[in-house]
Amino acid sequence: MSSAQPGTIAVLGPGGVGGLLAALLSRAGHQVICLAGESTVQALTRNGIRVRSTRFGDFTAPVAAATHLTEPVDVCLITCKQTALDAALERVPADVLADGLTVPLLNGVEHPALLRRRYRPEQVVPGVIRVEATRTAPGVVIHSSPFVQVDLAGATAPADRVRAAAALLEDAGVQTRVSPDETTTLWTKMAFLAPMALLTTRYGITIGDLRTRYRDELLTLTDEATAVARACGADADADAVITMYDAFPAETKSSMQRDAEAGRALELDAIGGALLRSADQHGMTTPLAARLVAELKASARATQ
């Protein structure tokens, strides 16, 4: 039985993360509309979303699906890859969204500004998500982490609407917090993600190998990333980030590394590029980050 007011939620990009959230929200009794390409729409309409989860068990949830939003919704979760964001947003016309909130759960720190230009600032509630979920086929999701955690921090949205969005996610079984500090929320994730993504992808290793064989580089890059985060106004601590790395299962891979292995486009600009741009804005040098980004760019060009 749903404990939150039933809502209508669009999910832009029902991949691993978006598909899991869509299925959980549907199972909790909310109306869910997944926005995707035609082949995915057909699969979701026909079969719903099938989830295999260490936390929630195995289940199938029905969802509506369309290539474009055609009706107002309470919340639009943006869960596509940053590399696909510009094209994906064409599926969510501002006039159709009306007063609905957009909740981007994307990697990086620069997308909120883009969304606030496209939609009204009071409609944008940036968030971060901690989860390991993979789409193995359209409408098929494997959730392998024992947690799904979301932090929301809408600096420009009314507080009651941010709390309402959080309540929808909580109702679906997602551990959700509302933070008063958007900068710290986004940069805390960035300071953790950037070193792990850049190093695991560059060397093709798991977090276990990274924190042993390449620990010196991990420590250096974490220092660089947290220094930039603090310069941007975030409360970021390198020791806390390293503690999180050391607690992760040794076999963990970054999402960027999995994209590289699958031959997909990398979120290199949204993660490494954004880190370098922020450092430059504050007159800082991040030599290891710069080297890794350059090497990964060169590697990507060589495989094209």
Side-chain angles (χ1 to χ4, degrees), residues 109-110 187 228 231-232 273-286:
V109 294
E110 296 175 333
W187 271 101
V228 174
C232 292
L275 179 64
L276 297 182
R277 286 188 289 275
S278 294
D280 186 62
Q281 288 169 7
H282 291 278
M284 304 173 68
T285 58
T286 51

Side-chain angles (χ1 to χ4, degrees), residues 18-158:
L20 175 63
L21 294 177
L24 291 172
L25 286 160
S26 173
R27 189 172 71 159
H30 303 287
Q31 180 183 353
V32 177
I33 306 167
C34 291
L35 304 174
E38 187 60 46
S39 60
T40 297
V41 166
Q42 292 177 6
L44 298 186
T45 301
R46 183 169 57 249
N47 301 317
I49 298 177
R50 290 171 285 172
V51 174
R52 290 173 51 197
S53 170
T54 56
R55 177 175 177 81
F56 301 105
D58 298 352
F59 67 96
T60 299
V63 294
T67 58
H68 292 79
L69 188 67
T70 59
E71 61 183 274
V73 294
D74 299 306
V75 174
C76 178
L77 300 177
I78 301 176
T79 55
C80 58
K81 290 284 188 178
Q82 183 82 29
T83 52
L85 180 60
D86 287 339
L89 289 176
E90 296 298 322
R91 303 188 190 278
V92 187
D95 59 334
V96 177
L97 181 63
D99 292 326
L101 293 181
T102 61
V103 178
L105 299 173
L106 305 177
N107 293 326
V109 294
E110 296 175 333
H111 56 273
L114 182 152
L115 290 168
R116 286 175 174 131
R117 291 192 297 269
R118 186 178 185 94
Y119 307 103
R120 298 194 307 276
E122 61 268 25
Q123 292 180 271
V124 181
V125 182
V128 299
I129 186 166
R130 288 172 288 276
V131 66
E132 190 165 358
T134 304
R135 187 188 88 153
T136 58
V140 181
V141 175
I142 297 177
H143 169 219
S144 52
S145 61
F147 52 82
V148 187
Q149 300 170 338
V150 168
D151 292 344
L152 300 181
T156 56

Side-chain angles (χ1 to χ4, degrees), residues 202-302:
R202 172 64 183 86
Y203 297 121
I205 54 175
T206 64
I207 184 66
D209 285 336
L210 173 58
R211 66 193 181 210
T212 52
R213 292 169 53 197
Y214 293 89
R215 192 171 187 86
D216 286 347
E217 289 193 25
L218 179 62
L219 293 172
T220 298
L221 192 52
T222 300
D223 282 341
E224 289 183 0
T226 52
V228 174
R230 289 192 296 273
C232 292
D235 181 11
D237 177 71
D239 290 340
V241 174
I242 295 297
T243 298
M244 287 192 288
Y245 289 141
D246 287 338
F248 259 61
E251 66 277 9
T252 301
K253 295 181 177 182
S254 69
S255 59
M256 185 188 290
Q257 180 186 2
R258 290 196 299 270
D259 286 340
E261 291 172 348
R264 294 188 291 262
L266 304 185
E267 293 184 300
L268 183 58
D269 187 64
I271 298 172
L275 179 64
L276 297 182
R277 286 188 289 275
S278 294
D280 186 62
Q281 288 169 7
H282 291 278
M284 304 173 68
T285 58
T286 51
L288 181 53
R291 192 203 90 199
L292 291 167
V293 170
E295 290 174 352
L296 286 167
K297 283 182 178 179
S299 177
R301 286 194 298 268

